[in-house]
Amino acid sequence: VLPESAPICRASYQYAFAPKADLPLQATQHAIQTIKAEGATLHQQRAKLAWHELTRRADIEARLRQLDVDLMDAKATAQRVQMLAVP
């Protein structure tokens, strides 16, 4: 425990542990990158499927449609966060 008279307690600057202002924007950008990476992987898997793997193809296409919706949602969230961050 530091005494109140210690110079570190009277300093006017913040340390590295202070939260960053753009954390919500970084989180949404990370979500967008994750969605895009999973979509690219699924596109590659779909391209490698044999013609008779219809159920697997349908599963992949359903997941790709869901990722498209998630991507639109994440982009809208990022835009909202960015607009709120502008002073």
Side-chain angles (χ1 to χ4, degrees):
V1 178
L2 295 173
E4 288 291 324
S5 61
I8 198 168
C9 293
R10 290 184 277 138
S12 62
Y13 55 90
Q14 292 184 350
Y15 291 91
F17 297 108
K20 294 186 168 77
D22 64 342
L23 280 180
L25 182 60
Q26 289 179 4
T28 55
Q29 289 174 344
H30 178 70
I32 290 171
Q33 292 299 328
T34 304
I35 292 169
K36 285 182 177 182
E38 185 180 349
T41 302
L42 288 174
H43 279 293
Q44 290 174 353
Q45 288 178 1
R46 186 178 64 178
K48 292 179 183 178
L49 287 177
W51 65 271
H52 57 83
E53 296 181 284
L54 298 177
T55 56
R56 179 73 179 133
R57 184 179 306 273
D59 291 343
I60 289 176
E61 289 174 356
R63 181 65 183 146
L64 284 171
R65 283 191 299 273
Q66 180 61 45
L67 286 176
D68 286 341
V69 172
D70 292 345
L71 183 62
M72 286 191 302
D73 184 44
K75 284 182 177 180
T77 302
Q79 187 177 17
R80 237 178 294 125
V81 167
Q82 196 170 22
M83 285 178 13
L84 290 174
V86 174

